[in-house]
Amino acid sequence: MSGDEAEKVYVAPGKYDEFYYFVSGGFSGQLATYGIPSGRLLKVIPVYSVNPENGYGYTEESKPMLNTSYGFVPWDDSHHSELSQTDGVPDGRWVFINGNNTPRLARIDLKTFRTVEILEIPNSAGNHSSPFITPGTEYVVAGTRFSVPVPNKDVPISTYKENFRGTISFIKVDKDKGDMSIAFQLITPPYDYDLSHAGKGPSYGWFFFSCYNSEEANTLLEVNASQKDKDYIMAVNWKKIEEFVAQNKGTMMESKYAHNKWSDETHSATSEILTSTRTLKPEDVPGCIYYIPCPKSPHGADVDPTGNYIVGGGKLATVIPVFSFEKIKKAIESNQSDGNVEGIPVLKYDECLAGEVQNPGLGPLHTEFDDKGFAYTSAFVSSEIVKWKVETREVVDRMPVYYSVGHLSIPGGDSRKPWGKYLVSMNKMTKDRYLPTGPELTQSAQLIDISGEKMKLLSDFPTIGEPHYAQGIPADLVTKNQIKIYKIEDNKNPYATKSPNDAKVVREGNVVHVYIAAMRSHFTPDNIEGVKVGDEVYFHMTNLEQDWDIPHGFAVMGNQNSEMLVMPGETCSLKWVPERAGIYPMYCTDFCSALHQEMQGYVRVSPKDSNTPLTFSTGNK
Amino acid sequence: MNKTSRILILVSALVMIAIYFVPVWNISLDAPQYPEGLGMQIWINKMTGDLQIINGLNHYIGMKTIQPDSIQELKFMPYILGFIIMYGLLVVIINKKSLLLSWIIIMIIIGAIGAYDFWSWEYDYGHNLDPTAAIKVPGMNYQPPLIGSKQLLNFNASSMPDIGAFILFASGIAAIIILIYEYKKSKIKNTGL
């Protein structure tokens, strides 16, 4: 340490960080937002996991977001965040993140920092090589990590080679609204599709997917999928496939999958079950898919800012192969191949290779780039970051990280325009780096200054869940679009209460709808009688505030559900089924005002057969 | 009155049309938890700004809600301004110093009544508080100053003229200067110097 590190990461009170960083939560299923260089946690955005802290996945409005063809799945494993791009540069509109376990793809709107769309990916299992995007956000991709029968069916596992297949899905993104729809799915040989990146510049129109297990093993992959010297990077010409799709090539396959969308107008989600996708086999799209041999069980497939080079991260390899797009094109044109797999030509390694980075560290995984022609590769086994020159492939610097880095991330580091000032190393182990917290320790990120010739470690900061990948972006690209409140007059929730005068309690059989208006520092109504044991009570609360940073919360005693936070101008509904007669306090859970503690009320619950009339009031009204 | 004076009076009268399109008075409220500030602008015919938020906060001290619809002045002030402008045009057409003098006097009277009326609204809002209010500070009233700043609990309330008031003020001053000039000129003529 040289002494000026503290100054470099110090962001004075009241000042803003220079970059937003969107760090995946891994097994937490969420997406965390940090400020860089301070490493301050700004917000955890609930995506795939229920979040009783604010009611996500518990309120009636948000429940449909987590619907799938398997039903309500309240958790996922979120690995990679990817910012939308315009012209190959992150634009700060949306961030996408994959769900690895129950294959899904989510879009978060950076106006509100809310998950606004989740699309299930059918015919997939383990959506890992996702959600990488094309330079104009035309498509976001989803490649399956586990090959499975397509469509899924009951077969002996030992029939892997015959019955299992991989799929690569291209999901179209609406240019203005961001809405996602599956454009087509490629049915591929039964490998494990791991990571991917789109071509850009000269390689625009192509997509590169790494894959391992070309051995097609279905058991003890640790050994059985590590036998071949080389697996593949799959090159897909999506531009050309678009032409085949326009000609209606391929087969519409029956497949059930959920498409969930959030509306900022109704403040609620809808879930639709879709029933088919267009599937394309390699023979449906001749000349569109090629395998490039890549040593050995490659993980990262990263494209440099110019789009000329594709870097494979062979996690068991002793070198980093750097492929030249120019040479790949020539190899395709020369028609010389090392045979084919299920009709997919295998190009010759040497003909595609620009060169290899020698001695890159053990277990190279991922590569990102700066704006000065350098690449940075994470080496998991030797726990270091290796800096090398893209054009010459020579290593110019290396530094240890603590410990065992997975992904690394430079703002814009996988785009056409990296902001090459910081690098964040996301480490898988922390051991002795922080005060110990029992056997389960925090995960860690390390901030590294890459503005100079030598990399400099600046700080460590703990992260939520397990950070896999992260993406950073200059803060002003996001702050300029922020909204502070939802306008109450635009609230189209059918259960909205737009004035305290409209507050009411309505019984429909054994369902009781409570329309609550919340305004500092009281609920209208705050005394409710006539609810009976076993009733299905819905508290529909509208926050009438139109003031910045004044959410109201709502909770009722003994509710086997959660609480909810309602933002200014929003309506949220919380279900409660009381099981015992008595008096139940309800109160505001978000310290809203000087009289927040007074923001409370009572619900009287009477026995099922009682005659207590349904009444409601606030104050003397 | 000479041509230049009449043109200047015409400009002074016409420039007041702009008052219809800009706020006349501005009340701003600053508090530790409102770094972005709260504001309320009073126009010739309406009130804008963070009224809803200010009303929400005021209920703690029992202040009446500010409802622009119930303030009659906002309904007839546009006509009074129209009258002032028309009167100015009349001064230009009829071209008499005495008429110019009366225009100035009318402007001063209307301005003074307006200021008093505004002050009495402030007094009413600041003093006539709901006795059941949550926050009661003995001896405290919440009347903002007519011009200037005052600390009202956690809020520092500043009341300042806005563009409309400045225009009105500038037109009045211009009219006075023209009047003085015209009187001096005629004095010189009469004495034959």
Side-chain angles (χ1 to χ4, degrees):
Chain A
M1 301 297 262
S2 64
D4 62 344
E5 292 85 359
E7 203 176 305
K8 287 192 166 162
V9 300
Y10 182 70
V11 177
K15 298 288 174 207
Y16 290 158
D17 277 291
E18 191 179 349
F19 293 95
Y20 278 103
Y21 244 87
F22 298 98
V23 182
S24 74
F27 43 65
S28 93
Q30 316 295 46
L31 176 65
T33 309
Y34 292 86
I36 292 293
S38 73
R40 297 183 292 193
L41 176 63
L42 304 174
K43 183 177 171 62
V44 176
I45 305 166
V47 183
Y48 293 113
S49 296
V50 291
N51 192 43
E53 179 180 330
N54 70 354
Y56 180 81
Y58 292 96
T59 63
E60 296 307 303
E61 283 81 1
S62 62
K63 276 181 191 169
M65 286 307 282
L66 300 179
N67 190 34
T68 72
S69 64
Y70 303 93
F72 185 83
V73 179
W75 168 87
D76 215 308
D77 183 15
S78 58
H79 279 224
H80 312 117
S81 52
E82 179 88 350
L83 288 153
S84 57
Q85 296 185 2
T86 300
D87 201 18
V89 182
D91 57 20
R93 296 205 287 165
W94 309 303
V95 56
F96 298 90
I97 190 163
N98 63 325
N100 189 51
N101 175 56
T102 304
R104 286 180 276 183
L105 196 53
R107 180 170 59 90
I108 290 103
D109 190 336
L110 293 181
K111 279 201 301 286
T112 57
F113 279 60
R114 278 195 170 174
T115 306
V116 291
E117 191 175 9
I118 293 182
L119 178 67
E120 188 181 350
I121 312 296
N123 305 319
S124 176
N127 179 27
H128 195 271
S129 52
S130 180
F132 301 97
I133 58 165
T134 53
T137 319
E138 296 97 335
Y139 294 98
V140 46
V141 300
T144 186
R145 169 181 159 193
F146 300 96
S147 283
V148 285
V150 177
N152 211 341
K153 60 186 175 196
D154 170 22
V155 295
I157 299 170
S158 60
T159 62
Y160 185 95
K161 289 182 191 193
E162 170 197 340
N163 280 323
F164 289 41
R165 283 296 166 271
T167 54
I168 302 285
S169 307
F170 277 73
I171 291 105
K172 187 93 196 143
V173 179
D174 182 272
K175 241 171 112 100
D176 304 311
K177 292 186 185 146
D179 292 356
M180 302 187 286
S181 56
I182 297 175
F184 56 87
Q185 296 191 294
L186 303 174
I187 310 289
T188 57
Y191 304 159
D192 292 30
Y193 294 86
D194 205 12
L195 282 160
S196 60
H197 266 107
K200 48 187 170 259
S203 54
Y204 176 80
W206 289 76
F207 224 109
F208 305 95
F209 296 85
S210 64
C211 51
Y212 61 99
N213 193 22
S214 59
E215 294 87 348
E216 302 185 10
N218 59 275
T219 181
L220 197 62
L221 265 67
E222 153 176 43
V223 173
N224 293 334
S226 305
Q227 294 305 304
K228 288 191 178 174
D229 270 348
K230 291 193 174 64
D231 293 279
Y232 302 111
I233 283 181
M234 187 170 77
V236 175
N237 186 340
W238 59 265
K239 246 327 184 203
K240 200 165 165 189
I241 291 176
E242 278 184 337
E243 291 167 23
F244 288 106
V245 170
Q247 293 162 26
N248 214 12
K249 289 276 153 55
T251 320
M252 295 309 287
M253 188 184 283
E254 261 185 53
S255 36
K256 253 177 82 177
Y257 59 105
H259 184 204
N260 312 330
K261 275 174 65 180
W262 180 261
S263 157
D264 280 339
E265 287 195 330
T266 59
H267 302 292
S268 44
T270 47
S271 178
E272 187 186 3
I273 297 289
L274 303 175
T275 52
S276 80
T277 60
R278 176 181 301 278
T279 56
L280 297 162
K281 291 186 173 145
E283 60 261 35
D284 296 327
V285 288
C288 293
I289 310 176
Y290 298 89
Y291 277 130
I292 304 163
C294 184
K296 181 175 182 180
S297 299
H299 199 50
D302 301 299
V303 182
D304 86 311
T306 66
N308 289 320
Y309 298 107
I310 298 101
V311 179
K315 55 184 179 269
L316 303 175
T318 53
V319 295
I320 301 172
V322 179
F323 301 101
S324 150
F325 182 70
E326 197 56 38
K327 292 180 89 171
I328 293 169
K329 250 183 10 189
K330 276 196 193 127
I332 290 169
E333 280 158 16
S334 73
N335 238 349
Q336 286 189 339
S337 66
D338 258 349
N340 75 76
V341 184
E342 297 186 21
I344 299 175
V346 177
L347 304 176
K348 288 185 170 164
Y349 178 67
D350 291 328
E351 289 198 7
C352 300
L353 195 70
E356 293 169 339
V357 181
Q358 300 297 325
N359 193 17
L362 302 173
L365 293 182
H366 306 279
T367 302
E368 291 243 315
F369 305 88
D370 69 12
D371 48 351
K372 299 176 209 76
F374 293 101
Y376 301 79
T377 301
S378 57
F380 177 84
V381 177
S382 53
S383 188
E384 62 182 330
I385 288 171
V386 179
K387 177 180 177 180
W388 50 277
K389 202 165 171 54
V390 176
E391 281 298 334
T392 61
R393 270 83 60 193
E394 75 187 292
V395 173
V396 294
D397 191 22
R398 53 206 318 152
M399 80 176 296
V401 283
Y402 310 91
Y403 304 93
S404 294
V405 53
H407 279 272
L408 45 73
S409 166
I410 294 166
D414 74 339
S415 78
R416 203 168 59 71
K417 187 186 156 195
W419 289 272
K421 188 168 177 185
Y422 299 113
L423 182 152
V424 176
S425 165
M426 278 149 288
N427 308 329
K428 301 299 184 191
M429 292 161 206
T430 53
K431 304 254 180 184
D432 58 354
R433 296 296 288 182
Y434 300 100
L435 287 173
T437 56
E440 190 178 351
L441 299 172
T442 182
Q443 310 270 334
S444 168
Q446 292 193 289
L447 182 68
I448 294 160
D449 179 354
I450 56 163
S451 59
E453 220 168 278
K454 293 271 172 201
M455 293 181 277
K456 259 174 78 175
L457 178 61
L458 295 179
S459 73
D460 285 17
F461 60 93
T463 55
I464 66 146
E466 183 189 40
H468 287 260
Y469 186 42
Q471 286 215 325
I473 185 167
D476 57 341
L477 290 175
V478 175
T479 53
K480 65 177 184 188
N481 298 328
Q482 288 297 289
I483 67 160
K484 291 180 173 173
I485 57 159
Y486 298 103
K487 287 190 185 143
I488 189 77
E489 61 266 29
D490 296 342
N491 182 330
K492 294 203 174 77
N493 187 301
Y495 296 103
T497 307
K498 295 196 183 183
S499 151
N501 303 328
D502 300 336
K504 61 187 173 184
V505 181
V506 179
R507 175 180 284 283
E508 289 165 5
N510 70 335
V511 176
V512 177
H513 292 283
V514 183
Y515 293 75
I516 302 180
M519 184 87 192
R520 279 168 287 176
S521 308
H522 60 279
F523 296 115
T524 314
D526 65 5
N527 276 210
I528 298 159
E529 299 198 354
V531 171
K532 293 174 193 168
V533 168
D535 277 349
E536 246 177 58
V537 182
Y538 293 92
F539 295 102
H540 307 288
M541 186 165 104
T542 303
N543 181 349
L544 292 180
E545 307 283 354
Q546 291 288 277
D547 198 354
W548 191 21
D549 197 18
I550 311 287
H552 288 298
F554 180 87
V556 62
M557 185 173 80
N559 192 2
Q560 294 169 40
N561 200 352
S562 83
E563 68 135 344
M564 61 180 178
L565 296 185
V566 187
M567 297 303 123
E570 190 186 21
T571 302
C572 297
S573 305
L574 193 68
K575 185 178 170 180
W576 174 48
V577 183
E579 291 176 355
R580 300 205 296 254
I583 297 294
Y584 288 80
M586 59 188 199
Y587 70 102
C588 172
T589 49
D590 191 317
F591 207 114
C592 58
S593 57
L595 299 175
H596 158 74
Q597 207 68 348
E598 282 72 13
M599 194 162 174
Q600 62 175 50
Y602 292 105
V603 185
R604 174 182 170 191
V605 176
S606 304
K608 228 182 170 75
D609 51 5
S610 76
N611 295 321
T612 315
L614 194 68
T615 58
F616 57 92
S617 60
T618 310
N620 299 322
K621 284 179 256 177
Chain B
M1 295 193 288
N2 71 15
K3 199 174 168 193
T4 316
S5 292
R6 291 174 69 198
I7 290 173
L8 285 172
I9 295 166
L10 181 70
V11 172
S12 300
L14 291 180
V15 87
M16 283 192 274
I17 294 172
I19 297 171
Y20 287 106
F21 306 103
V22 291
V24 177
W25 217 264
N26 181 53
I27 293 177
S28 61
L29 299 164
D30 287 302
Q33 52 280 93
Y34 283 92
E36 73 277 24
L38 289 174
M40 185 166 85
Q41 290 81 40
I42 299 149
W43 299 53
I44 198 78
N45 61 344
K46 62 179 176 183
M47 293 171 85
T48 56
D50 307 303
L51 264 186
Q52 194 184 348
I53 296 171
I54 292 168
N55 279 335
L57 294 168
N58 283 347
H59 95 274
Y60 288 118
I61 52 168
M63 190 184 282
K64 286 183 280 192
T65 58
I66 302 165
Q67 288 170 327
D69 288 345
S70 66
I71 299 174
Q72 293 306 315
E73 284 86 333
L74 296 173
K75 297 203 173 80
F76 61 73
M77 275 310 285
Y79 297 103
I80 290 179
L81 179 63
F83 167 74
I84 292 173
I85 294 167
M86 297 306 284
Y87 203 115
L89 298 179
L90 215 62
V91 174
V92 176
I93 295 162
I94 296 174
N95 193 16
K96 268 192 176 162
K97 269 184 296 209
S98 57
L99 207 60
L100 176 59
L101 176 65
S102 65
W103 188 47
I104 292 166
I105 291 168
I106 284 171
M107 273 200 274
I108 291 170
I109 291 170
I110 289 174
I113 293 174
Y116 173 76
D117 183 60
F118 182 44
W119 179 88
S120 29
W121 273 109
E122 288 186 333
Y123 183 92
D124 182 38
Y125 279 115
H127 287 81
N128 294 326
L129 305 168
D130 184 343
T132 66
I135 299 172
K136 273 186 287 194
V137 183
M140 179 91 186
N141 75 71
Y142 303 95
Q143 180 180 4
L146 191 60
I147 297 185
S149 296
K150 189 176 168 191
Q151 191 70 29
L152 304 172
L153 300 183
N154 58 329
F155 280 95
N156 182 43
S158 301
S159 174
M160 295 300 271
D162 213 320
I163 304 169
F166 288 122
I167 291 172
L168 190 68
F169 191 67
S171 291
I173 293 288
I176 291 169
I177 291 168
I178 295 160
L179 186 71
I180 292 168
Y181 165 78
E182 286 293 335
Y183 270 109
K184 278 197 170 164
K185 199 179 67 186
S186 60
K187 224 180 190 175
I188 291 165
K189 235 186 230 166
N190 293 344
T191 54
L193 290 171

